[in-house]
Structure formats: structure tokens, C-alpha cells
Amino acid sequence: MAGTTGGRPSIYPTLLYADAKAAIKQLTEAFGFTELSVYEGEDGKVLHAELVQGNGAIMLGSQGRGGRFDAAMEGAGPTGVYIVVDDADAHHQRAVDHGAEILMPPTDQDYGSRDYMARDVEGNVWSFGTYAPEITA
């Protein structure tokens, strides 16, 4: 994956799922995330999980577990997240091989990227591509 230098990202997209365990399975198997940590409650619900992709990470948990964030996210729409990968075609093939719903196959974009889009098990849209804008301070 692109940019595997480590460190601490400053932005963590955070998602809540009705079935966080199924989401973690799809995100790791189909989309190539690596499980960093998963904390479960006594009832088996995912209280908090961190998954890594390249030098970025996401946080996720189970809906209905209580707390302020859970309440704030109630009724919120699906999320869209963009992840930088070195080879969009190979990444896409992995997603296809694991049964992910593909919304757009790998496509060359006018801005120089090659991207594809997929939907996760709960409707969030994930875009994977080669576009990695450089951030300068």
C-alpha cells in the first residue's frame, strides 16, 4: 500500500456499524486493512476498533452501544472515505475476489488518478485510488 512509513495520522474517519464484526471482516479481507486493535464489551459488541491502511487509519464501533458519539451519529447517513493505494487494479481485484459490491471499476480520472469505488456491508462508500495530494504547511 502507499505510504507505509508509520507515524500517527492526524485524521481518523470514524464509522459506526450495526454489525461491526462483519464490517471488520470485510474491511480486512476485501479491502486490505490491517486490524490494529479491537475492544469488545461483555455483550460482544465492538466498543472501539482501529484498522490501518498504509499510513492512515480508521476507527469504528458498534451502533447502539451508548455514549455521546453513538447518539450524535444516530440517523446519520452513510460515509464516503478515500484511501490511497499503489495499484488500484490489484486492490480492486482483491475486493472483487471477496465479493465486495463494486460501484465503479478502476477508472482513469482527469486529475491523474486511477480509482475505483465499492460499498461496504452497511452502505458506506469507499474509494480507492492512486491520487495522493501532497500537503504542505
Side-chain angles (χ1 to χ4, degrees), residues 11-15 57-60 79-83 126:
I11 298 174
Y12 293 84
T14 305
L15 303 98
I58 63 167
M59 293 186 274
L60 65 93
T79 298
V81 180
Y82 185 88
I83 305 292
W126 292 84

Side-chain angles (χ1 to χ4, degrees), residues 16-74:
L16 294 180
Y17 289 93
D19 188 345
K21 288 181 181 178
I24 291 168
K25 179 178 166 84
Q26 182 188 40
L27 291 169
T28 56
E29 292 180 4
F31 298 150
F33 281 82
T34 300
E35 197 176 289
L36 184 61
S37 62
V38 177
Y39 303 96
E40 294 181 11
E42 290 181 16
D43 60 359
K45 285 188 176 182
V46 176
L47 299 175
H48 177 81
E50 297 166 5
L51 305 180
V52 176
Q53 174 75 268
N55 66 353
I58 63 167
M59 293 186 274
L60 65 93
S62 298
Q63 292 174 341
R65 61 179 167 53
R68 292 183 136 196
F69 187 72
D70 188 46
M73 291 295 290
E74 187 174 343

